[in-house]
Amino acid sequence: MQVPVAAERNKGPILAVLRECAGPGALRVLEVGAGSGLHAAHFARALPRTRWQPSDIDPWALRSIAAYVEATGVPNLLPPILLDVSQGWETWGGTQPGTLDLLVSINMMHITELRCTEGLFKGAGVLLKPGGVLFTYGQSRLGAAGHGAAAGAGPGQRAVPGEDGGHAGQQQEPDLPQAVT
């Protein structure tokens, strides 16, 4: 069970915004690229009316998430599933079209290939219910600089203060086309 420093620091500000997205009823949530599982465990505990499904492509991450699921015993936190966001939504653990209330992706887009971001948006377009929310957090590659903390929220987005997840030094992909936003 890993405890990334950046995830520990940014879980509060992210949760504050997720609470605004959550609403009063029960919600079905898929977290793409859940990493260590710290966020999944924290959010599922804080939002007990959610059914939180964490996922990742990395075997290390899946083991860490499973350790969080076991250690926390949070009943609405499901065991992790293997998910490659660059593959079609049909391979996303049996998730059916129009069944998700919230699709969450934290610190993924700026460290993965462009095809992963494209897959995330395509999947969201099919899997989210009408009125569902695609929640992303992390550095944006959409700003004038292309990356970095100075890149702000774009139209229809809300900036959440927090950390970059420690990935700022990694090589960045080219800017995303505006049509993807």
Side-chain angles (χ1 to χ4, degrees), residues 87-160:
Q87 300 301 308
W89 63 267
E90 301 88 351
T91 66
W92 293 16
T95 306
Q96 297 300 305
T99 59
L100 295 177
D101 298 288
L102 185 58
L103 183 56
V104 175
S105 175
I106 299 171
N107 285 326
M108 183 202 81
M109 292 191 299
H110 67 285
I111 62 169
T112 59
E113 297 175 6
L114 180 58
R115 64 189 173 101
C116 296
T117 300
E118 292 170 342
L120 176 68
F121 280 82
K122 287 176 186 174
V126 173
L127 300 175
L128 285 170
K129 293 178 180 176
V133 175
L134 170 58
F135 178 92
T136 65
Y137 173 90
Q139 290 180 329
S140 171
R141 294 184 286 170
L142 302 174
H147 64 277
Q157 299 173 333
R158 176 168 175 211
V160 178

Side-chain angles (χ1 to χ4, degrees), residues 34-52:
S36 70
L38 183 143
H39 282 143
H42 181 72
F43 302 150
R45 178 179 290 137
L47 301 167
R49 296 187 59 114
T50 62
R51 182 174 168 251
W52 201 279

